[in-house]
PDB file of all heavy atoms in Angstrom:
ATOM      1  N   GLY B   1     105.358 114.923 140.748  1.00  0.00           N
ATOM      2  CA  GLY B   1     106.651 114.975 141.452  1.00  0.00           C
ATOM      3  C   GLY B   1     106.692 115.841 142.699  1.00  0.00           C
ATOM      4  O   GLY B   1     107.754 116.250 143.256  1.00  0.00           O
ATOM      5  N   MET B   2     105.510 116.167 143.196  1.00  0.00           N
ATOM      6  CA  MET B   2     105.412 117.006 144.455  1.00  0.00           C
ATOM      7  C   MET B   2     104.568 116.343 145.506  1.00  0.00           C
ATOM      8  O   MET B   2     103.977 115.278 145.260  1.00  0.00           O
ATOM      9  CB  MET B   2     104.936 118.386 144.095  1.00  0.00           C
ATOM     10  CG  MET B   2     105.866 119.155 143.189  1.00  0.00           C
ATOM     11  SD  MET B   2     105.199 120.816 142.853  1.00  0.00           S
ATOM     12  CE  MET B   2     103.842 120.461 141.751  1.00  0.00           C
ATOM     13  N   HIS B   3     104.448 117.031 146.655  1.00  0.00           N
ATOM     14  CA  HIS B   3     103.578 116.506 147.756  1.00  0.00           C
ATOM     15  C   HIS B   3     102.405 117.477 147.900  1.00  0.00           C
ATOM     16  O   HIS B   3     102.223 118.429 147.276  1.00  0.00           O
ATOM     17  CB  HIS B   3     104.480 116.323 149.009  1.00  0.00           C
ATOM     18  CG  HIS B   3     105.539 115.297 148.898  1.00  0.00           C
ATOM     19  ND1 HIS B   3     105.223 113.988 148.647  1.00  0.00           N
ATOM     20  CD2 HIS B   3     106.829 115.403 149.067  1.00  0.00           C
ATOM     21  CE1 HIS B   3     106.317 113.318 148.630  1.00  0.00           C
ATOM     22  NE2 HIS B   3     107.295 114.077 148.793  1.00  0.00           N
ATOM     23  N   GLY B   4     101.592 116.999 148.943  1.00  0.00           N
ATOM     24  CA  GLY B   4     100.296 117.690 149.091  1.00  0.00           C
ATOM     25  C   GLY B   4     100.356 119.095 149.317  1.00  0.00           C
ATOM     26  O   GLY B   4      99.480 119.914 148.907  1.00  0.00           O
ATOM     27  N   GLY B   5     101.444 119.698 149.930  1.00  0.00           N
ATOM     28  CA  GLY B   5     101.557 121.038 150.226  1.00  0.00           C
ATOM     29  C   GLY B   5     101.610 121.942 148.946  1.00  0.00           C
ATOM     30  O   GLY B   5     101.369 123.154 149.065  1.00  0.00           O
ATOM     31  N   ALA B   6     101.916 121.358 147.840  1.00  0.00           N
ATOM     32  CA  ALA B   6     102.025 122.077 146.540  1.00  0.00           C
ATOM     33  C   ALA B   6     100.657 122.591 146.072  1.00  0.00           C
ATOM     34  O   ALA B   6     100.584 123.458 145.144  1.00  0.00           O
ATOM     35  CB  ALA B   6     102.611 121.260 145.485  1.00  0.00           C
ATOM     36  N   VAL B   7      99.552 122.061 146.607  1.00  0.00           N
ATOM     37  CA  VAL B   7      98.281 122.551 146.194  1.00  0.00           C
ATOM     38  C   VAL B   7      98.086 124.002 146.477  1.00  0.00           C
ATOM     39  O   VAL B   7      97.345 124.699 145.736  1.00  0.00           O
ATOM     40  CB  VAL B   7      97.180 121.634 146.750  1.00  0.00           C
ATOM     41  CG1 VAL B   7      96.952 121.916 148.202  1.00  0.00           C
ATOM     42  CG2 VAL B   7      95.868 121.808 146.033  1.00  0.00           C
ATOM     43  N   ILE B   8      98.683 124.523 147.522  1.00  0.00           N
ATOM     44  CA  ILE B   8      98.464 125.899 147.923  1.00  0.00           C
ATOM     45  C   ILE B   8      99.109 126.806 146.891  1.00  0.00           C
ATOM     46  O   ILE B   8      98.346 127.704 146.396  1.00  0.00           O
ATOM     47  CB  ILE B   8      99.059 126.114 149.341  1.00  0.00           C
ATOM     48  CG1 ILE B   8      98.297 125.238 150.361  1.00  0.00           C
ATOM     49  CG2 ILE B   8      98.900 127.615 149.778  1.00  0.00           C
ATOM     50  CD1 ILE B   8      96.893 125.470 150.536  1.00  0.00           C
ATOM     51  N   PRO B   9     100.397 126.744 146.588  1.00  0.00           N
ATOM     52  CA  PRO B   9     100.979 127.710 145.637  1.00  0.00           C
ATOM     53  C   PRO B   9     100.281 127.535 144.198  1.00  0.00           C
ATOM     54  O   PRO B   9     100.017 128.620 143.588  1.00  0.00           O
ATOM     55  CB  PRO B   9     102.362 127.336 145.560  1.00  0.00           C
ATOM     56  CG  PRO B   9     102.536 125.967 146.211  1.00  0.00           C
ATOM     57  CD  PRO B   9     101.451 125.955 147.174  1.00  0.00           C
ATOM     58  N   LEU B  10      99.955 126.295 143.800  1.00  0.00           N
ATOM     59  CA  LEU B  10      99.348 126.216 142.487  1.00  0.00           C
ATOM     60  C   LEU B  10      97.930 126.897 142.432  1.00  0.00           C
ATOM     61  O   LEU B  10      97.589 127.446 141.413  1.00  0.00           O
ATOM     62  CB  LEU B  10      99.154 124.749 142.159  1.00  0.00           C
ATOM     63  CG  LEU B  10     100.549 124.009 141.777  1.00  0.00           C
ATOM     64  CD1 LEU B  10     100.285 122.561 141.599  1.00  0.00           C
ATOM     65  CD2 LEU B  10     101.191 124.636 140.569  1.00  0.00           C
ATOM     66  N   THR B  11      97.199 126.818 143.481  1.00  0.00           N
ATOM     67  CA  THR B  11      95.930 127.443 143.514  1.00  0.00           C
ATOM     68  C   THR B  11      96.045 129.002 143.615  1.00  0.00           C
ATOM     69  O   THR B  11      95.375 129.672 142.923  1.00  0.00           O
ATOM     70  CB  THR B  11      95.084 126.912 144.746  1.00  0.00           C
ATOM     71  OG1 THR B  11      94.884 125.517 144.585  1.00  0.00           O
ATOM     72  CG2 THR B  11      93.709 127.586 144.751  1.00  0.00           C
ATOM     73  N   LEU B  12      96.890 129.404 144.487  1.00  0.00           N
ATOM     74  CA  LEU B  12      97.112 130.817 144.714  1.00  0.00           C
ATOM     75  C   LEU B  12      97.564 131.506 143.425  1.00  0.00           C
ATOM     76  O   LEU B  12      97.441 132.695 143.248  1.00  0.00           O
ATOM     77  CB  LEU B  12      98.038 131.085 145.805  1.00  0.00           C
ATOM     78  CG  LEU B  12      97.406 131.106 147.159  1.00  0.00           C
ATOM     79  CD1 LEU B  12      97.791 132.285 148.014  1.00  0.00           C
ATOM     80  CD2 LEU B  12      95.922 130.950 147.100  1.00  0.00           C
ATOM     81  N   ALA B  13      98.302 130.742 142.518  1.00  0.00           N
ATOM     82  CA  ALA B  13      98.840 131.395 141.329  1.00  0.00           C
ATOM     83  C   ALA B  13      97.722 131.870 140.392  1.00  0.00           C
ATOM     84  O   ALA B  13      97.950 132.835 139.634  1.00  0.00           O
ATOM     85  CB  ALA B  13      99.649 130.354 140.537  1.00  0.00           C
ATOM     86  N   PHE B  14      96.493 131.383 140.592  1.00  0.00           N
ATOM     87  CA  PHE B  14      95.379 131.992 139.730  1.00  0.00           C
ATOM     88  C   PHE B  14      95.120 133.380 140.125  1.00  0.00           C
ATOM     89  O   PHE B  14      94.693 134.196 139.286  1.00  0.00           O
ATOM     90  CB  PHE B  14      94.072 131.195 139.990  1.00  0.00           C
ATOM     91  CG  PHE B  14      94.060 129.881 139.249  1.00  0.00           C
ATOM     92  CD1 PHE B  14      94.400 128.653 139.909  1.00  0.00           C
ATOM     93  CD2 PHE B  14      93.738 129.780 137.964  1.00  0.00           C
ATOM     94  CE1 PHE B  14      94.466 127.462 139.245  1.00  0.00           C
ATOM     95  CE2 PHE B  14      93.782 128.489 137.267  1.00  0.00           C
ATOM     96  CZ  PHE B  14      94.106 127.418 137.906  1.00  0.00           C
ATOM     97  N   GLY B  15      95.392 133.774 141.455  1.00  0.00           N
ATOM     98  CA  GLY B  15      95.219 135.156 141.758  1.00  0.00           C
ATOM     99  C   GLY B  15      96.362 136.028 141.369  1.00  0.00           C
ATOM    100  O   GLY B  15      96.319 136.972 140.726  1.00  0.00           O
ATOM    101  N   CYS B  16      97.616 135.553 141.846  1.00  0.00           N
ATOM    102  CA  CYS B  16      98.847 136.254 141.474  1.00  0.00           C
ATOM    103  C   CYS B  16     100.034 135.323 141.594  1.00  0.00           C
ATOM    104  O   CYS B  16     100.128 134.520 142.640  1.00  0.00           O
ATOM    105  CB  CYS B  16      99.043 137.490 142.409  1.00  0.00           C
ATOM    106  SG  CYS B  16     100.566 138.383 142.090  1.00  0.00           S
ATOM    107  N   ASN B  17     100.937 135.307 140.683  1.00  0.00           N
ATOM    108  CA  ASN B  17     102.054 134.333 140.739  1.00  0.00           C
ATOM    109  C   ASN B  17     103.093 134.754 141.785  1.00  0.00           C
ATOM    110  O   ASN B  17     103.827 133.882 142.313  1.00  0.00           O
ATOM    111  CB  ASN B  17     102.777 134.357 139.393  1.00  0.00           C
ATOM    112  CG  ASN B  17     102.054 133.553 138.262  1.00  0.00           C
ATOM    113  OD1 ASN B  17     102.443 133.570 137.180  1.00  0.00           O
ATOM    114  ND2 ASN B  17     100.956 132.893 138.639  1.00  0.00           N
ATOM    115  N   VAL B  18     103.134 135.973 142.216  1.00  0.00           N
ATOM    116  CA  VAL B  18     104.105 136.444 143.182  1.00  0.00           C
ATOM    117  C   VAL B  18     103.936 135.825 144.552  1.00  0.00           C
ATOM    118  O   VAL B  18     104.869 135.119 145.073  1.00  0.00           O
ATOM    119  CB  VAL B  18     104.073 137.963 143.348  1.00  0.00           C
ATOM    120  CG1 VAL B  18     105.018 138.366 144.475  1.00  0.00           C
ATOM    121  CG2 VAL B  18     104.568 138.645 142.118  1.00  0.00           C
ATOM    122  N   PRO B  19     102.743 135.976 145.205  1.00  0.00           N
ATOM    123  CA  PRO B  19     102.635 135.176 146.497  1.00  0.00           C
ATOM    124  C   PRO B  19     102.709 133.629 146.315  1.00  0.00           C
ATOM    125  O   PRO B  19     103.089 132.934 147.252  1.00  0.00           O
ATOM    126  CB  PRO B  19     101.232 135.632 147.011  1.00  0.00           C
ATOM    127  CG  PRO B  19     100.484 136.025 145.826  1.00  0.00           C
ATOM    128  CD  PRO B  19     101.521 136.639 144.857  1.00  0.00           C
ATOM    129  N   ALA B  20     102.303 133.100 145.116  1.00  0.00           N
ATOM    130  CA  ALA B  20     102.348 131.714 144.889  1.00  0.00           C
ATOM    131  C   ALA B  20     103.778 131.228 144.848  1.00  0.00           C
ATOM    132  O   ALA B  20     104.125 130.166 145.440  1.00  0.00           O
ATOM    133  CB  ALA B  20     101.650 131.380 143.599  1.00  0.00           C
ATOM    134  N   ILE B  21     104.752 132.036 144.203  1.00  0.00           N
ATOM    135  CA  ILE B  21     106.141 131.706 144.133  1.00  0.00           C
ATOM    136  C   ILE B  21     106.750 131.798 145.561  1.00  0.00           C
ATOM    137  O   ILE B  21     107.516 130.957 146.017  1.00  0.00           O
ATOM    138  CB  ILE B  21     106.897 132.546 143.198  1.00  0.00           C
ATOM    139  CG1 ILE B  21     106.580 132.256 141.776  1.00  0.00           C
ATOM    140  CG2 ILE B  21     108.386 132.440 143.370  1.00  0.00           C
ATOM    141  CD1 ILE B  21     107.005 130.842 141.304  1.00  0.00           C
ATOM    142  N   MET B  22     106.272 132.757 146.395  1.00  0.00           N
ATOM    143  CA  MET B  22     106.821 132.923 147.737  1.00  0.00           C
ATOM    144  C   MET B  22     106.403 131.825 148.635  1.00  0.00           C
ATOM    145  O   MET B  22     107.053 131.450 149.509  1.00  0.00           O
ATOM    146  CB  MET B  22     106.378 134.290 148.319  1.00  0.00           C
ATOM    147  CG  MET B  22     106.947 135.472 147.594  1.00  0.00           C
ATOM    148  SD  MET B  22     106.385 137.054 148.197  1.00  0.00           S
ATOM    149  CE  MET B  22     107.294 137.229 149.733  1.00  0.00           C
ATOM    150  N   SER B  23     105.275 131.206 148.272  1.00  0.00           N
ATOM    151  CA  SER B  23     104.723 130.076 149.074  1.00  0.00           C
ATOM    152  C   SER B  23     105.440 128.692 148.772  1.00  0.00           C
ATOM    153  O   SER B  23     105.157 127.740 149.505  1.00  0.00           O
ATOM    154  CB  SER B  23     103.241 129.907 149.006  1.00  0.00           C
ATOM    155  OG  SER B  23     102.782 129.497 147.742  1.00  0.00           O
ATOM    156  N   VAL B  24     106.222 128.589 147.697  1.00  0.00           N
ATOM    157  CA  VAL B  24     106.854 127.377 147.418  1.00  0.00           C
ATOM    158  C   VAL B  24     107.881 126.951 148.504  1.00  0.00           C
ATOM    159  O   VAL B  24     108.222 125.821 148.657  1.00  0.00           O
ATOM    160  CB  VAL B  24     107.613 127.392 146.073  1.00  0.00           C
ATOM    161  CG1 VAL B  24     106.663 127.647 144.924  1.00  0.00           C
ATOM    162  CG2 VAL B  24     108.833 128.263 146.034  1.00  0.00           C
ATOM    163  N   ARG B  25     108.250 127.946 149.402  1.00  0.00           N
ATOM    164  CA  ARG B  25     109.149 127.592 150.469  1.00  0.00           C
ATOM    165  C   ARG B  25     108.439 126.727 151.468  1.00  0.00           C
ATOM    166  O   ARG B  25     109.073 126.043 152.276  1.00  0.00           O
ATOM    167  CB  ARG B  25     109.547 128.851 151.214  1.00  0.00           C
ATOM    168  CG  ARG B  25     108.400 129.596 151.939  1.00  0.00           C
ATOM    169  CD  ARG B  25     108.905 130.808 152.523  1.00  0.00           C
ATOM    170  NE  ARG B  25     109.361 131.766 151.483  1.00  0.00           N
ATOM    171  CZ  ARG B  25     109.733 133.021 151.874  1.00  0.00           C
ATOM    172  NH1 ARG B  25     109.593 133.565 153.014  1.00  0.00           N
ATOM    173  NH2 ARG B  25     110.159 133.844 150.845  1.00  0.00           N
ATOM    174  N   LEU B  26     107.053 126.502 151.370  1.00  0.00           N
ATOM    175  CA  LEU B  26     106.319 125.549 152.202  1.00  0.00           C
ATOM    176  C   LEU B  26     106.690 124.131 151.843  1.00  0.00           C
ATOM    177  O   LEU B  26     106.485 123.148 152.564  1.00  0.00           O
ATOM    178  CB  LEU B  26     104.835 125.764 152.021  1.00  0.00           C
ATOM    179  CG  LEU B  26     104.285 127.092 152.453  1.00  0.00           C
ATOM    180  CD1 LEU B  26     102.836 127.247 152.061  1.00  0.00           C
ATOM    181  CD2 LEU B  26     104.456 127.361 153.998  1.00  0.00           C
ATOM    182  N   LEU B  27     107.236 123.912 150.579  1.00  0.00           N
ATOM    183  CA  LEU B  27     107.587 122.580 150.163  1.00  0.00           C
ATOM    184  C   LEU B  27     108.964 122.133 150.739  1.00  0.00           C
ATOM    185  O   LEU B  27     109.823 122.980 151.016  1.00  0.00           O
ATOM    186  CB  LEU B  27     107.584 122.588 148.672  1.00  0.00           C
ATOM    187  CG  LEU B  27     106.296 122.993 147.935  1.00  0.00           C
ATOM    188  CD1 LEU B  27     106.535 122.944 146.459  1.00  0.00           C
ATOM    189  CD2 LEU B  27     105.128 122.166 148.422  1.00  0.00           C
ATOM    190  N   HIS B  28     109.105 120.837 150.998  1.00  0.00           N
ATOM    191  CA  HIS B  28     110.228 120.406 151.887  1.00  0.00           C
ATOM    192  C   HIS B  28     111.564 120.255 151.143  1.00  0.00           C
ATOM    193  O   HIS B  28     112.641 120.356 151.719  1.00  0.00           O
ATOM    194  CB  HIS B  28     109.859 119.064 152.520  1.00  0.00           C
ATOM    195  CG  HIS B  28     108.696 119.215 153.490  1.00  0.00           C
ATOM    196  ND1 HIS B  28     108.759 120.136 154.590  1.00  0.00           N
ATOM    197  CD2 HIS B  28     107.503 118.612 153.519  1.00  0.00           C
ATOM    198  CE1 HIS B  28     107.556 120.087 155.209  1.00  0.00           C
ATOM    199  NE2 HIS B  28     106.770 119.140 154.565  1.00  0.00           N
ATOM    200  N   SER B  29     111.526 119.919 149.901  1.00  0.00           N
ATOM    201  CA  SER B  29     112.802 119.601 149.213  1.00  0.00           C
ATOM    202  C   SER B  29     112.983 120.590 148.074  1.00  0.00           C
ATOM    203  O   SER B  29     112.025 121.150 147.435  1.00  0.00           O
ATOM    204  CB  SER B  29     112.757 118.197 148.662  1.00  0.00           C
ATOM    205  OG  SER B  29     111.963 118.086 147.523  1.00  0.00           O
ATOM    206  N   ARG B  30     114.254 120.824 147.704  1.00  0.00           N
ATOM    207  CA  ARG B  30     114.636 121.779 146.598  1.00  0.00           C
ATOM    208  C   ARG B  30     114.044 121.128 145.243  1.00  0.00           C
ATOM    209  O   ARG B  30     113.548 121.924 144.382  1.00  0.00           O
ATOM    210  CB  ARG B  30     116.116 121.924 146.477  1.00  0.00           C
ATOM    211  CG  ARG B  30     116.492 122.778 145.322  1.00  0.00           C
ATOM    212  CD  ARG B  30     117.850 123.320 145.388  1.00  0.00           C
ATOM    213  NE  ARG B  30     118.331 124.045 144.178  1.00  0.00           N
ATOM    214  CZ  ARG B  30     117.957 125.280 143.872  1.00  0.00           C
ATOM    215  NH1 ARG B  30     117.184 125.968 144.726  1.00  0.00           N
ATOM    216  NH2 ARG B  30     118.390 125.854 142.786  1.00  0.00           N
ATOM    217  N   ARG B  31     113.963 119.903 145.139  1.00  0.00           N
ATOM    218  CA  ARG B  31     113.422 119.246 143.872  1.00  0.00           C
ATOM    219  C   ARG B  31     111.915 119.734 143.730  1.00  0.00           C
ATOM    220  O   ARG B  31     111.517 120.151 142.655  1.00  0.00           O
ATOM    221  CB  ARG B  31     113.496 117.761 144.044  1.00  0.00           C
ATOM    222  CG  ARG B  31     112.916 116.999 142.824  1.00  0.00           C
ATOM    223  CD  ARG B  31     113.145 115.536 142.989  1.00  0.00           C
ATOM    224  NE  ARG B  31     112.683 114.784 141.871  1.00  0.00           N
ATOM    225  CZ  ARG B  31     111.368 114.385 141.573  1.00  0.00           C
ATOM    226  NH1 ARG B  31     110.438 114.695 142.514  1.00  0.00           N
ATOM    227  NH2 ARG B  31     111.070 113.803 140.492  1.00  0.00           N
ATOM    228  N   GLU B  32     111.163 119.662 144.783  1.00  0.00           N
ATOM    229  CA  GLU B  32     109.769 120.066 144.757  1.00  0.00           C
ATOM    230  C   GLU B  32     109.624 121.566 144.472  1.00  0.00           C
ATOM    231  O   GLU B  32     108.697 121.959 143.695  1.00  0.00           O
ATOM    232  CB  GLU B  32     108.997 119.744 145.995  1.00  0.00           C
ATOM    233  CG  GLU B  32     108.840 118.235 146.283  1.00  0.00           C
ATOM    234  CD  GLU B  32     108.159 117.984 147.614  1.00  0.00           C
ATOM    235  OE1 GLU B  32     106.944 118.227 147.689  1.00  0.00           O
ATOM    236  OE2 GLU B  32     108.857 117.728 148.642  1.00  0.00           O
ATOM    237  N   ARG B  33     110.495 122.296 145.062  1.00  0.00           N
ATOM    238  CA  ARG B  33     110.377 123.789 144.857  1.00  0.00           C
ATOM    239  C   ARG B  33     110.794 124.167 143.394  1.00  0.00           C
ATOM    240  O   ARG B  33     110.129 125.089 142.870  1.00  0.00           O
ATOM    241  CB  ARG B  33     111.376 124.452 145.848  1.00  0.00           C
ATOM    242  CG  ARG B  33     111.015 124.445 147.230  1.00  0.00           C
ATOM    243  CD  ARG B  33     111.788 125.400 148.198  1.00  0.00           C
ATOM    244  NE  ARG B  33     113.051 124.881 148.431  1.00  0.00           N
ATOM    245  CZ  ARG B  33     113.451 124.087 149.422  1.00  0.00           C
ATOM    246  NH1 ARG B  33     112.515 123.715 150.293  1.00  0.00           N
ATOM    247  NH2 ARG B  33     114.653 123.734 149.631  1.00  0.00           N
ATOM    248  N   ILE B  34     111.739 123.417 142.817  1.00  0.00           N
ATOM    249  CA  ILE B  34     111.975 123.686 141.371  1.00  0.00           C
ATOM    250  C   ILE B  34     110.802 123.340 140.479  1.00  0.00           C
ATOM    251  O   ILE B  34     110.441 124.144 139.612  1.00  0.00           O
ATOM    252  CB  ILE B  34     113.239 122.836 140.974  1.00  0.00           C
ATOM    253  CG1 ILE B  34     114.506 123.437 141.668  1.00  0.00           C
ATOM    254  CG2 ILE B  34     113.410 122.880 139.398  1.00  0.00           C
ATOM    255  CD1 ILE B  34     115.720 122.552 141.473  1.00  0.00           C
ATOM    256  N   ILE B  35     110.236 122.155 140.665  1.00  0.00           N
ATOM    257  CA  ILE B  35     109.034 121.786 139.826  1.00  0.00           C
ATOM    258  C   ILE B  35     107.914 122.787 140.097  1.00  0.00           C
ATOM    259  O   ILE B  35     107.304 123.214 139.049  1.00  0.00           O
ATOM    260  CB  ILE B  35     108.619 120.303 140.204  1.00  0.00           C
ATOM    261  CG1 ILE B  35     109.773 119.338 139.824  1.00  0.00           C
ATOM    262  CG2 ILE B  35     107.289 119.953 139.494  1.00  0.00           C
ATOM    263  CD1 ILE B  35     109.425 117.908 140.337  1.00  0.00           C
ATOM    264  N   ALA B  36     107.607 123.132 141.310  1.00  0.00           N
ATOM    265  CA  ALA B  36     106.575 124.036 141.555  1.00  0.00           C
ATOM    266  C   ALA B  36     106.758 125.353 140.948  1.00  0.00           C
ATOM    267  O   ALA B  36     105.872 126.028 140.426  1.00  0.00           O
ATOM    268  CB  ALA B  36     106.338 124.203 143.081  1.00  0.00           C
ATOM    269  N   SER B  37     108.064 125.870 140.912  1.00  0.00           N
ATOM    270  CA  SER B  37     108.345 127.134 140.363  1.00  0.00           C
ATOM    271  C   SER B  37     108.045 127.180 138.895  1.00  0.00           C
ATOM    272  O   SER B  37     107.488 128.133 138.359  1.00  0.00           O
ATOM    273  CB  SER B  37     109.869 127.468 140.608  1.00  0.00           C
ATOM    274  OG  SER B  37     110.156 127.572 141.958  1.00  0.00           O
ATOM    275  N   PHE B  38     108.398 126.090 138.102  1.00  0.00           N
ATOM    276  CA  PHE B  38     108.033 126.007 136.748  1.00  0.00           C
ATOM    277  C   PHE B  38     106.511 126.032 136.577  1.00  0.00           C
ATOM    278  O   PHE B  38     105.993 126.826 135.694  1.00  0.00           O
ATOM    279  CB  PHE B  38     108.583 124.754 136.139  1.00  0.00           C
ATOM    280  CG  PHE B  38     110.012 124.822 135.691  1.00  0.00           C
ATOM    281  CD1 PHE B  38     111.046 124.574 136.516  1.00  0.00           C
ATOM    282  CD2 PHE B  38     110.294 125.172 134.326  1.00  0.00           C
ATOM    283  CE1 PHE B  38     112.424 124.679 135.993  1.00  0.00           C
ATOM    284  CE2 PHE B  38     111.615 125.267 133.892  1.00  0.00           C
ATOM    285  CZ  PHE B  38     112.640 125.001 134.699  1.00  0.00           C
ATOM    286  N   LEU B  39     105.799 125.270 137.322  1.00  0.00           N
ATOM    287  CA  LEU B  39     104.339 125.138 137.094  1.00  0.00           C
ATOM    288  C   LEU B  39     103.584 126.369 137.536  1.00  0.00           C
ATOM    289  O   LEU B  39     102.685 126.783 136.843  1.00  0.00           O
ATOM    290  CB  LEU B  39     103.830 123.843 137.825  1.00  0.00           C
ATOM    291  CG  LEU B  39     104.486 122.516 137.464  1.00  0.00           C
ATOM    292  CD1 LEU B  39     103.655 121.399 138.133  1.00  0.00           C
ATOM    293  CD2 LEU B  39     104.419 122.364 135.959  1.00  0.00           C
ATOM    294  N   VAL B  40     103.994 126.960 138.588  1.00  0.00           N
ATOM    295  CA  VAL B  40     103.346 128.156 139.018  1.00  0.00           C
ATOM    296  C   VAL B  40     103.418 129.334 138.123  1.00  0.00           C
ATOM    297  O   VAL B  40     102.403 130.014 137.818  1.00  0.00           O
ATOM    298  CB  VAL B  40     103.929 128.618 140.474  1.00  0.00           C
ATOM    299  CG1 VAL B  40     103.546 130.030 140.794  1.00  0.00           C
ATOM    300  CG2 VAL B  40     103.414 127.773 141.539  1.00  0.00           C
ATOM    301  N   THR B  41     104.537 129.530 137.462  1.00  0.00           N
ATOM    302  CA  THR B  41     104.761 130.556 136.485  1.00  0.00           C
ATOM    303  C   THR B  41     103.866 130.350 135.155  1.00  0.00           C
ATOM    304  O   THR B  41     103.694 131.339 134.521  1.00  0.00           O
ATOM    305  CB  THR B  41     106.169 130.723 136.061  1.00  0.00           C
ATOM    306  OG1 THR B  41     106.697 129.481 135.572  1.00  0.00           O
ATOM    307  CG2 THR B  41     107.043 131.104 137.211  1.00  0.00           C
ATOM    308  N   MET B  42     103.385 129.179 134.993  1.00  0.00           N
ATOM    309  CA  MET B  42     102.529 128.837 133.837  1.00  0.00           C
ATOM    310  C   MET B  42     101.075 129.038 134.196  1.00  0.00           C
ATOM    311  O   MET B  42     100.336 129.127 133.183  1.00  0.00           O
ATOM    312  CB  MET B  42     102.870 127.427 133.332  1.00  0.00           C
ATOM    313  CG  MET B  42     104.234 127.192 132.754  1.00  0.00           C
ATOM    314  SD  MET B  42     104.540 125.464 132.392  1.00  0.00           S
ATOM    315  CE  MET B  42     103.449 125.305 131.102  1.00  0.00           C
TER     316      MET B  42
END
């Protein structure tokens, strides 16, 4: 349910979830940001 830009926060989450969550703003729609937020925290 996301686009290519989501690969950055998901990868960065392996280092630290904080910058990964901050990078979800790179995604274009709120729907994508919500999905990414759930996945990044896991």
Side-chain angles (χ1 to χ4, degrees):
M2 295 181 290
H3 293 301
V7 72
I8 300 297
L10 288 175
T11 302
L12 273 231
F14 284 98
C16 180
N17 286 173
V18 173
I21 289 293
M22 295 179 76
S23 70
V24 301
R25 67 184 63 173
L26 299 172
L27 305 180
H28 296 300
S29 70
R30 177 163 174 78
R31 179 179 185 274
E32 290 181 79
R33 290 191 285 271
I34 290 172
I35 295 173
S37 298
F38 273 89
L39 301 188
V40 162
T41 54
M42 295 175 65

